Amino acid sequence: MRNRVKEFRANREWSQQHLADELGVSRQTIISIERGRFDPSLPLAFRLASLFGSTIEDLFIPDDYSPGAPGTSQAPGAPQA
């Protein structure tokens, strides 16, 4: 899964340590998320999105998600009609 955590953090001029402190996690956790080595738990993903005033969908992009591709007009994981 790809993510935009580093981009959102940089836009706020926050250090990795500041973000880690805000979330109550280690700086290493933030580094691992930003590098794509660790996918956060759903509760942590919600906390990240809330902290950035964003949505999970704006922060995290599944590897197989391609906007505009057939069958991807809905949110990832949404049931098909």
Side-chain angles (χ1 to χ4, degrees), residues 10-55:
N11 285 341
R12 285 162 180 74
E13 298 182 357
W14 290 352
S15 67
Q16 291 170 331
Q17 187 63 59
H18 177 83
L19 180 56
D21 292 344
E22 289 287 325
L23 295 168
V25 299
S26 70
R27 183 174 150 269
Q28 187 60 42
T29 297
I30 301 303
I31 291 167
S32 294
I33 291 170
E34 288 183 352
R35 291 183 179 171
R37 292 186 297 187
F38 173 72
D39 291 334
S41 65
L42 193 53
L44 180 54
F46 272 110
R47 289 190 351 242
L48 276 161
S50 176
L51 187 62
F52 289 131
S54 186
T55 64

